[in-house]
Amino acid sequence: MPAALAIVIALGNTTGAFVLSFAVQRDLARQALIPEHLTWIFPAIVDSAILGATIVIISKLNMNKRDRGSYIALAVSVVVISILGNAYHAYHAAIAAREFIDGGGTSGSFHSRPPLQRP
């Protein structure tokens, strides 16, 4: 039973991370002025490449060293792209929030919507 619980927790964490990462990457596409109806493509490419490379690496553990290295390089590359995109987004969101608060806005509370609001 502990193994099943660990799998459920891992799937929950993976799903949550995917959803948040997808949202942030889609927002990055908007910031890059990609038309709204196309903004889903960037996170779909990055996240599906991560998923696909991971599945191949795990399912083909006995593949030749060169092929395995190629899939590992792909997985590492797209994970780095995802991490850097998320970090860039978080950094600029923090700067915007600080400027907003310095300009007289308040951060609100955990339950307020939107999270930043003018007094």
Side-chain angles (χ1 to χ4, degrees), residues 7-21 51:
I7 290 171
V8 169
I9 291 170
L11 288 173
N13 287 342
T14 302
T15 301
F18 171 81
V19 169
L20 292 175
S21 179
L51 178 63

Side-chain angles (χ1 to χ4, degrees), residues 28-114:
L28 286 172
R30 285 184 186 111
Q31 291 175 22
L33 303 178
I34 293 173
E36 183 64 30
H37 69 283
L38 300 175
T39 57
W40 64 273
I41 295 173
F42 176 65
I45 291 169
V46 172
D47 290 338
S48 64
I50 292 170
L51 178 63
T54 302
I55 289 171
V56 169
I57 291 166
I58 292 171
S59 67
K60 307 281 187 190
L61 292 176
N62 60 356
M63 72 174 76
N64 72 51
K65 193 173 187 177
R66 182 173 176 236
D67 290 344
R68 186 175 172 89
S70 297
Y71 284 108
I72 289 172
L74 173 63
V76 168
S77 298
V78 291
V79 166
V80 167
I81 289 169
S82 181
I83 291 170
L84 291 175
N86 290 335
Y88 175 87
H89 186 270
Y91 176 77
H92 287 283
I95 289 173
R98 183 177 186 135
E99 290 172 355
F100 182 80
I101 291 169
D102 288 348
T106 60
S107 62
S109 70
F110 179 75
H111 300 288
S112 66
R113 285 215 178 143

